[in-house]
Amino acid sequence: MNLNFASDNTGPAHPKVMEAVLRANDHAAMPYGNDPVTEAAVAAVRAAFEAPEAEVAFVATGTAANALALSCLVRPFESVFCSRVAHIEEDECGAPEFYMGGAKLTLVDETDGKIDAGDFAAKLTAAMDRGVHGAQPAALSLTQITERGATYSLDEIATLTGIARDAGLATHLDGARFANACAALGCSPAEMTWKAGIDAVSFGGTKNGCLGVEAVVMFDASHRRELALRRKRAGHLWSKQRYLSAQMLAYVQDGRWLEMARSANAASARLAKGLRAMPGARILHEAAGNLIFAELPRAAHARAFAAGASYYLFPGDTPLDGDPETPVRCRLVCDWSKSSAEVDALIASWAG
Ligand SMILES: *Cc1c(COP(=O)(O)O)cnc(C)c1O
């Protein structure tokens, strides 16, 4: 029984993704993306986004996807607006600033990880007033679903990108959990991106059933050459690109990416239901996709860990042998492979 709820990247890759990698291995192919599998994967991503002109580049990590996309949109003396809890701020070791050549992140207030439109507008206006003394506003980066597990509605995305575009800013979407958001909102990739004013997307695959592949999707193809050069310079142009591409092709084909996200979201909804019924448990943020932040009595965590469960507590060094009733926060993530039985086993382990 897999009781690992620490992250969606603890889960396995989908067998169809593994098969696709093996199929790519049964013949020789030209390197650096000059192969038919890459061509097919790029076409599949363009089709999924209804964007036949989009530039699509595959990389192996979400950090690289975010940093490369932003580096094409922002110059060293400019700034990117993002939420205080954005992955690009908290979890990428400064890679975006490094790839952008030292550009700045400007942090905006958030609720459930979602950027507050009023605070964004105010910080943008303030930044516009500083002349040569301040970093020049150049981009807005949103995360969908957010680092706290919530989703922006399509209207909320359009409102934020509207403020950004009115001020001449480019817009980026960190979609490490893009599929989970599409599944939760029941919308198409186009509706959640270019139709809502997004210019560039980091389209995640790794957390949702791939071995390791993310796509940078830029709807304005004028970035093509720059993105290609930056990817190479960053050491992210794989010479055996077909193994990345094969994963992405299997992921996007036949709606598998959505199917897997639906299954992760359903497991998470089952888990949320169990939490709501549990005395002493509390869900801390709107949980729309496959990510739940909750608070449980310390003793419940201790019982779950003793039963072999694993997931993150906050703060990370919380001891499990203190007062049993004290509420302790945790993050619970379901990946595509989580079964109802596994979810039920976790819930049962808390109750002891
Ligand atoms: C996981 C994640 C990423 C990508 O992380 P890598 O470890 O670099 O693949 C980016 N953004 C968010 C919101 C994530 O959760």
Side-chain angles (χ1 to χ4, degrees):
M1 184 90 65
N2 170 11
L3 292 184
N4 193 323
F5 289 79
S7 179
D8 25 17
N9 55 20
T10 63
H14 193 281
K16 294 282 185 201
V17 170
M18 299 301 286
E19 281 168 27
V21 172
L22 284 177
R23 264 200 314 280
N25 199 42
D26 67 11
H27 58 275
M30 294 304 279
Y32 300 111
N34 297 312
D35 66 274
V37 177
T38 298
E39 195 182 329
V42 167
V45 172
R46 286 179 177 150
F49 279 85
E50 301 168 59
E53 303 297 322
E55 178 56 11
V56 177
F58 304 130
V59 292
T61 70
T63 298
N66 285 340
L68 283 169
L70 288 170
S71 72
C72 290
L73 302 175
V74 182
R75 292 174 289 178
F77 45 85
E78 295 178 332
S79 71
V80 180
F81 292 78
C82 66
S83 98
R84 287 186 189 286
V85 301
H87 200 271
I88 58 171
E89 157 68 7
E90 296 199 321
D91 295 297
E92 300 188 355
C93 199
E97 293 95 322
F98 177 54
Y99 279 43
M100 293 185 292
K104 177 183 166 59
L105 300 184
T106 299
L107 306 183
V108 183
D109 292 345
E110 49 76 38
T111 307
D112 296 341
K114 286 155 64 168
I115 286 184
D116 180 274
D119 192 51
F120 171 44
K123 292 215 162 87
L124 182 55
T125 306
M128 295 280 191
D129 276 350
R130 293 202 185 91
V132 299
H133 303 285
Q136 306 294 300
L140 167 70
S141 179
L142 308 178
T143 307
Q144 176 83 320
I145 55 181
T146 73
E147 290 80 357
R148 294 294 177 264
T151 47
Y152 290 96
S153 69
L154 299 184
D155 284 346
E156 286 170 334
I157 295 175
T159 299
L160 289 166
T161 60
I163 296 169
R165 289 185 156 205
D166 285 348
L169 274 58
T171 54
H172 165 252
L173 187 77
D174 176 349
R177 299 189 176 88
F178 188 99
N180 303 90
C182 271
L185 293 176
C187 69
S188 71
E191 285 167 340
M192 204 163 80
T193 57
W194 60 269
K195 289 186 179 174
I198 296 288
D199 298 316
V201 185
S202 305
F203 176 61
T206 309
K207 283 181 174 143
N208 189 34
C210 291
L211 281 173
V213 66
E214 318 276 311
V216 179
V217 182
M218 303 193 78
F219 299 112
D220 177 354
S222 71
H223 294 294
R224 176 160 303 152
R225 178 85 175 142
E226 180 176 358
L227 179 60
L229 292 169
R230 285 185 178 276
R231 178 175 59 165
K232 176 65 191 185
R233 187 168 189 253
H236 272 279
L237 176 59
W238 278 32
S239 67
K240 289 186 171 178
Q241 182 79 214
R242 63 188 182 278
Y243 296 101
L244 288 188
S245 309
Q247 297 173 59
M248 186 53 75
L249 183 55
Y251 181 61
V252 174
Q253 256 173 359
D254 305 326
R256 194 164 290 121
W257 63 288
L258 262 182
E259 190 185 301
M260 287 194 274
R262 286 196 194 107
S263 132
N265 290 2
S268 188
R270 188 178 182 97
L271 186 51
K273 193 168 168 219
L275 281 165
R276 284 192 202 97
M278 212 183 110
R282 197 161 69 88
I283 293 178
L284 301 175
H285 299 283
E286 171 212 331
N290 65 328
L291 211 58
I292 299 174
F293 288 80
E295 204 172 65
L296 286 91
R298 187 194 310 257
H301 292 303
R303 283 191 289 271
F305 289 165
S310 108
Y311 52 82
Y312 293 112
L313 299 180
F314 301 100
D317 58 356
T318 305
L320 284 175
D321 54 0
D323 168 40
E325 296 308 321
T326 307
V328 174
R329 285 178 296 142
C330 67
R331 187 185 82 158
L332 304 160
V333 193
C334 293
D335 75 302
W336 67 275
S337 75
K338 278 284 178 300
S339 67
S340 299
E342 287 163 345
V343 169
D344 293 349
L346 177 65
I347 296 168
S349 76
W350 285 323

